[in-house]
């Protein structure tokens, strides 16, 4: 039974419940996962139980144009009880106290369902509100840009720091690949960067298992690796917005979120590469500067972390397969994504400091912590800064 989990299609993972070799019972509390070329047509079926209840549609100015307005018109035409709120911001929407507070002000008191239209920020905000107010939410994906669609946590900016908060699964995920393939290429690259990050996040997890005897689930690892390799095998087709690879990318991103739900925290999907990306983002926010999309930072940071593994190869347990920087670069080049932090716009000083201090972002054992224990972070900071800058 457990081995069959790896053979399931993404739609079959909805409502999944099984006892794993790792000793845990893994559950997926998502009622519907729909990823195909006409997924939007299934929205009314998914909403059937809410026809006579109050639905609160949430979008930003971009996702409202992509499909939010169309969905709003169709549901109102069919007499759904629908209220909408669209974030019209001059700059990029940020998942912080201001946007969360604004949404709490706008949500009608009798709301039975939140209908989120968007990707990273909209999903994170609505997931957190869903959890706090105990109102189920459905996400209609507009870009294959991050792995949080099926996650149970929300990364939020609070008092200038990016922290991960407990949240809840969506009731349903609707991912129409005809919509997703038209997303800006930068966002598609961001999603691919998030998937590339699994090369180092899974290595970090195994490192901690060996050194600290941390809980480790091989079934979850196998699931994420399989989804990752499907994307990597067809990486060169991303730049052409090929529907099949966009679907595989979206499915891999959803699987990554499901893996987080299996474990109860983000270990299978997030390691040192995410710590570096978070550090760069926080530094930009503190200075009121723009920053790359999270997944684009993760993609570049994956190369950096793979280089740290190579620099420390004499101190890594033999059971661990080291991530290969040249291989990571070759995948980036196939996709056409940026892999040099300098080219991504990360300031030299911020980059140098991140190698030394990014491990402080979260209490999680990664290669950065091992380097710290061996008094190597300052040395690596100089080596890598010279390499990239």
């Amino acid at each position: 039974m457990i081995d069959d989990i790896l053979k399931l299609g993404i739609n079959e993972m909805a409502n999944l419940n099984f006892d794993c070799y790792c000793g845990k019972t893994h559950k997926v509390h998502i009622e519907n996962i729909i990823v195909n070329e006409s997924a939007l047509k299934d929205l009314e079926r998914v909403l059937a139980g809410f026809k006579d209840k109050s639905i609160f549609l949430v979008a930003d100015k971009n996702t409202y144009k992509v499909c939010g307005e169309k969905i709003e018109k169709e549901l109102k035409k069919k007499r759904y009880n629908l209220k909408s709120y669209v974030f019209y911001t001059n700059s990029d929407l940020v998942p912080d106290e201001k946007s969360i507070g604004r949404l709490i002000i706008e949500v009608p008191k009798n709301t039975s369902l939140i209908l989120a239209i968007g990707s990273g920020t909209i999903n994170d905000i609505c997931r957190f509100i869903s959890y706090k107010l105990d109102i189920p939410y459905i996400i209609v994906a507009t870009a294959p840009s991050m792995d949080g669609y099926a996650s149970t946590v929300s990364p939020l900016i609070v008092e200038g720091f990016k922290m991960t908060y407990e949240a809840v699964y969506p009731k349903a995920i609707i991912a129409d690949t005809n919509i997703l393939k038209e997303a800006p290429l930068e966002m598609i690259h961001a999603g691919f960067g998030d998937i590339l990050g699994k090369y180092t996040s899974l290595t970090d997890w195994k490192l901690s298992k060996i050194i600290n005897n941390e809980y480790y689930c091989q079934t979850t690892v196998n699931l994420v690796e399989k989804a990752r390799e499907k994307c990597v095998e067809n990486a060169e087709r991303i730049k052409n917005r090929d529907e099949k690879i966009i679907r595989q990318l979206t499915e891999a991103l959803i699987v990554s979120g499901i893996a987080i739900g299996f474990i109860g925290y983000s270990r299978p999907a997030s390691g040192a590469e995410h710590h570096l990306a978070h550090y760069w983002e926080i530094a930009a926010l503190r200075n009121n500067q723009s920053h790359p999309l999270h997944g684009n930072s993760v993609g570049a940071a994956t190369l950096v972390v793979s280089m740290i593994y190579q620099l420390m190869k004499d101190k890594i347990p033999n059971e661990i397969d080291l991530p290969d920087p040249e291989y990571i670069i070759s995948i980036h080049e196939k996709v056409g994504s940026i892999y040099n932090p300098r080219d991504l716009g990360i300031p030299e000083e911020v980059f140098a400091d991140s190698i030394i201090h990014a491990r402080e972002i979260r209490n999680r054992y990664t290669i950065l912590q091992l380097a710290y224990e061996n008094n190597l972070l300052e040395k690596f900071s100089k080596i890598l800064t010279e390499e990239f800058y």
Side-chain angles (χ1 to χ4, degrees):
M1 165 59 185
I2 298 176
D3 294 334
D4 291 338
I5 299 299
L6 299 179
K7 301 175 185 177
L8 294 176
I10 194 67
N11 60 313
E12 297 173 297
M13 291 186 183
N15 292 311
L16 195 61
N17 186 332
F18 68 99
D19 295 325
C20 184
Y21 296 131
C22 74
K24 283 194 174 188
T25 298
H26 297 316
K27 298 178 182 179
V28 181
H29 297 293
I30 306 175
E31 294 180 12
N32 287 277
I33 302 173
I34 304 168
V35 183
N36 60 49
E37 290 182 275
S38 57
L40 213 54
K41 293 180 180 178
D42 285 306
L43 180 59
E44 274 198 74
R45 174 179 63 79
V46 173
L47 292 176
F50 294 89
K51 184 68 185 280
D52 300 318
K53 297 179 181 179
S54 177
I55 300 174
F56 182 47
L57 184 149
V58 181
D60 64 28
K61 61 184 179 183
N62 297 316
T63 63
Y64 186 68
K65 289 179 183 177
V66 170
C67 64
E69 185 175 16
K70 177 184 176 182
I71 290 171
E72 180 186 56
K73 287 181 178 178
E74 285 296 316
L75 293 180
K76 285 186 173 180
K77 181 180 177 181
K78 295 183 178 177
R79 301 190 180 280
Y80 277 81
N81 181 10
L82 186 74
K83 298 286 178 65
S84 301
Y85 181 73
V86 180
F87 284 97
Y88 286 102
T89 54
N90 293 326
S91 56
D92 292 338
L93 182 63
V94 177
D96 59 7
E97 307 99 311
K98 183 178 179 181
S99 56
I100 291 167
R102 184 63 182 165
L103 207 55
I104 288 176
I105 289 171
E106 296 294 336
V107 61
K109 188 176 181 180
N110 64 337
T111 297
S112 297
L113 178 74
I114 297 169
L115 179 57
I117 314 293
S119 56
T121 299
I122 287 291
N123 187 55
D124 287 332
I125 294 171
C126 289
R127 179 197 311 284
F128 187 69
I129 294 293
S130 169
Y131 173 70
K132 283 292 186 179
L133 301 184
D134 198 24
I135 301 170
Y137 90 103
I138 289 171
I139 179 70
V140 176
T142 56
S145 55
M146 52 90 216
D147 64 0
Y149 286 121
S151 176
T152 55
V153 296
S154 283
L156 304 173
I157 308 294
V158 178
E159 296 183 350
F161 287 92
K162 191 167 189 177
M163 296 184 285
T164 300
Y165 289 85
E166 181 181 359
V168 67
Y169 274 128
K171 184 179 179 66
I173 300 169
I174 310 292
D176 192 312
T177 52
N178 278 329
I179 293 173
L180 300 179
K181 71 181 183 180
E182 298 303 324
L185 198 56
E186 181 187 14
M187 298 187 80
I188 297 173
H189 285 169
F192 197 87
D194 229 345
I195 293 302
L196 273 188
K198 302 342 169 202
Y199 279 111
T200 47
S201 67
L202 294 177
T203 308
D204 278 339
W205 193 12
K206 189 169 185 178
L207 179 72
S208 186
K209 172 205 171 191
I210 294 169
I211 293 177
N212 303 314
N213 198 30
E214 181 180 337
Y215 160 75
Y216 186 82
C217 175
Q218 190 63 53
T219 302
T220 300
V221 170
N222 292 347
L223 189 67
V224 173
E225 285 181 338
K226 182 182 178 184
R228 181 193 68 198
E229 293 313 305
K230 272 189 178 181
C231 293
V232 171
E233 286 170 6
N234 298 293
E236 68 281 354
R237 293 162 64 182
I238 287 239
K239 62 185 71 174
N240 299 323
R241 302 174 183 272
D242 180 87
E243 191 276 333
K244 182 178 179 181
I245 183 59
I246 295 298
R247 175 166 44 82
Q248 289 174 336
L249 173 58
T250 304
E251 290 177 353
L253 291 166
I254 291 173
V255 165
S256 179
I258 287 173
I260 293 172
F262 277 2
I263 306 308
Y265 56 105
S266 60
R267 178 51 115 170
S270 171
E273 76 295 326
H274 274 69
H275 296 177
L276 290 172
H278 288 321
Y279 190 97
W280 301 342
E281 291 159 18
I282 290 169
L285 288 166
R286 282 179 178 169
N287 295 316
N288 293 314
Q289 297 172 340
S290 61
H291 59 81
L293 291 173
H294 175 68
N296 297 131
S297 293
V298 169
T302 300
L303 173 60
V304 176
V305 174
S306 69
M307 293 171 73
I308 295 174
Y309 265 102
Q310 292 294 331
L311 289 168
M312 290 198 71
K313 60 185 177 183
D314 61 330
K315 298 185 184 299
I316 304 298
N318 292 331
E319 306 97 299
I320 291 179
D321 293 324
L322 299 181
D324 180 359
E326 293 303 317
Y327 181 63
I328 299 297
I329 289 173
S330 72
I331 300 170
H332 271 292
E333 289 179 340
K334 285 181 180 179
V335 173
S337 49
I338 296 172
Y339 55 83
N340 188 319
R342 179 200 63 212
D343 297 338
L344 205 59
I346 309 304
E348 181 176 347
E349 183 179 345
V350 170
F351 176 83
D353 288 345
S354 71
I355 302 301
I356 298 170
H357 297 293
R359 68 177 186 85
E360 301 162 14
I361 291 283
R362 185 175 297 162
N363 184 21
R364 179 170 296 168
Y365 199 91
T366 71
I367 189 65
L368 294 176
Q369 183 63 29
L370 182 61
Y372 169 77
E373 292 168 359
N374 285 272
N375 297 312
L376 290 168
L377 285 178
E378 290 192 11
K379 177 183 178 181
F380 289 170
S381 176
K382 291 177 182 177
I383 292 172
L384 292 167
T385 302
E386 288 179 4
E387 177 74 25
F388 288 112
Y389 292 84

